[in-house]
Amino acid sequence: MNWLLKQKRVAVLICFLAVGSTVLVATAEVKKKVAPVTKNPVAQSMVSFETALTKYQVKKTQNFFPALTKRELKIEEALGTETDCRFLDQPLAEVMAFFAEKHAIPIIILGIDLGEEGLTVDEPVDFDVKNVTLHDALELILNPIGLTYIVENGVVKITTTFKASEKLTSRVYPVGDLCRTVEDYLTLESALRNADLGDWRERKTGCASEKTQSQPQKPGASHPAGGGFFNIPDGNFKGGESVAPLLYEDGDGGTITIVPQSHALVITQTYHAHKAIVDLLTQIREAGVQE
């Protein structure tokens, strides 16, 4: 009997231990589920930075109007991709057909433009290069024979450098994040004109703003801001100010018009000049972000 009683007591004790361990495990599982997840501030910062960077890159790509079409974006992306090629006295037409097929973009040669310079689509191309962008490859092939390319109407057009210099288009560049006062706009305008991005038309002399600036000023009177370009009393754009336009002489080259009401620059220039302007404005903005 004593032995049987001992066996029963041992069995009951084992049951209690089993139930207790089960309760402890269940409690631990519940705590694990409801335990607050600690946030990693470093990881959060990286996510925020990457999100901001992505937004900045998109803004950088399309920071002008009219925005590029889907076809133009595809072409610009292709022009920035690397390419390899080797040509041994192959006709220009075959070379362009090779690049068009390789990068899946439309490329046409404007034969009439070439004919005006005594060139043909059969101009021999002797060229061997690796790991350069398609843009650089085209420039290295075309520039030595007086040719270049432009992107127009959703296709890449091969033409002469002279014809390309005559094809001017206008874009609106919002610059409100860079400019607040008249002096800011004029400084940016000077930076663009002095950066050797393209040819610019000469300014006219004797325009209304210059006449205003040249008039005798009374002692203590405030001078109009803008260095002869604008007639704005205090140098700040608030809307409704009298702005004398900057006029240009007739001739070749691009122009820059400041539109304070829209905090923008309207720039008329060639295809390659616009590409350079986008790059320069991007670099100016990146310099400001790093401060």
Side-chain angles (χ1 to χ4, degrees):
M1 289 293 293
N2 291 337
W3 178 84
L4 183 60
L5 182 61
K6 288 182 179 180
Q7 289 293 327
K8 289 182 178 180
R9 288 178 178 175
V10 170
V12 170
L13 181 60
I14 292 173
C15 289
F16 274 116
L17 290 174
V19 171
S21 62
T22 303
V23 171
L24 289 174
V25 171
T27 304
E29 289 294 329
V30 171
K31 288 184 177 180
K32 183 178 180 181
K33 291 180 180 179
V34 301
V37 179
T38 57
K39 297 180 179 180
N40 187 338
V42 176
Q44 281 188 319
S45 298
M46 289 301 295
V47 171
S48 299
F49 175 77
E50 290 174 356
T51 302
L53 181 60
T54 301
K55 290 181 179 178
Y56 178 75
Q57 288 173 334
V58 172
K59 185 177 180 182
K60 159 185 165 182
T61 304
Q62 290 282 350
N63 199 24
F64 54 80
F65 300 98
L68 299 178
T69 65
K70 290 183 178 180
R71 292 183 66 181
E72 290 170 335
L73 282 172
K74 180 182 178 182
I75 291 174
E76 293 298 338
E77 182 180 355
L79 289 169
T81 59
E82 290 191 351
T83 192
D84 299 333
C85 58
R86 184 179 182 183
F87 306 115
L88 183 60
D89 292 332
Q90 289 182 245
L92 179 64
E94 291 184 9
V95 171
M96 294 302 112
F98 167 83
F99 285 130
E101 181 178 359
K102 180 179 178 66
H103 295 276
I105 57 174
I107 302 178
I108 63 174
I109 302 176
L110 302 182
I112 295 178
D113 292 354
L114 271 62
E116 293 180 359
E117 298 292 333
L119 302 173
T120 71
V121 296
D122 295 322
E123 295 297 320
V125 175
D126 190 357
F127 188 70
D128 185 1
V129 72
K130 292 183 179 180
N131 302 324
V132 300
T133 65
L134 177 58
H135 161 78
D136 289 338
L138 290 176
E139 291 290 270
L140 289 170
I141 292 171
L142 299 173
N143 285 352
I145 54 177
L147 301 179
T148 187
Y149 77 89
I150 61 173
V151 177
E152 188 179 48
N153 301 327
V155 300
V156 178
K157 296 181 178 180
I158 309 302
T159 184
T160 64
T161 54
F162 176 74
K163 285 292 185 179
S165 68
E166 292 186 323
K167 294 181 180 293
L168 304 181
T169 58
S170 296
R171 284 181 180 175
V172 178
Y173 291 88
V175 292
D177 59 322
L178 300 175
C179 303
R180 293 291 182 271
T181 67
V182 175
E183 286 75 14
D184 292 339
Y185 283 87
L186 295 177
T187 299
L188 182 58
E189 188 249 9
S190 296
L192 293 172
R193 290 179 63 93
N194 295 334
D196 194 25
L197 306 178
D199 296 327
W200 302 95
R201 285 165 58 183
E202 294 293 331
R203 298 187 180 98
K204 274 190 175 181
T205 58
C207 61
S209 56
E210 289 181 337
K211 292 177 181 178
T212 302
Q213 186 189 37
S214 63
Q215 290 175 354
Q217 299 291 326
K218 295 180 181 180
S222 61
H223 292 260
F229 295 90
F230 300 94
N231 182 15
I232 300 177
D234 59 1
N236 292 310
F237 291 130
K238 299 171 184 167
E241 297 92 340
S242 173
V243 181
L246 177 61
L247 303 179
Y248 290 89
E249 299 285 353
D250 294 334
D252 299 328
T255 61
I256 300 178
T257 302
I258 299 172
V259 186
Q261 297 88 342
S262 300
H263 305 287
L265 300 178
V266 177
I267 302 179
T268 301
Q269 259 297 354
T270 64
Y271 165 77
H272 288 289
H274 278 301
K275 285 177 66 72
I277 289 168
V278 170
D279 290 341
L280 181 59
L281 290 176
T282 299
Q283 293 164 15
I284 292 174
R285 288 186 169 98
E286 289 175 346
V289 170
Q290 293 178 1
E291 289 183 355

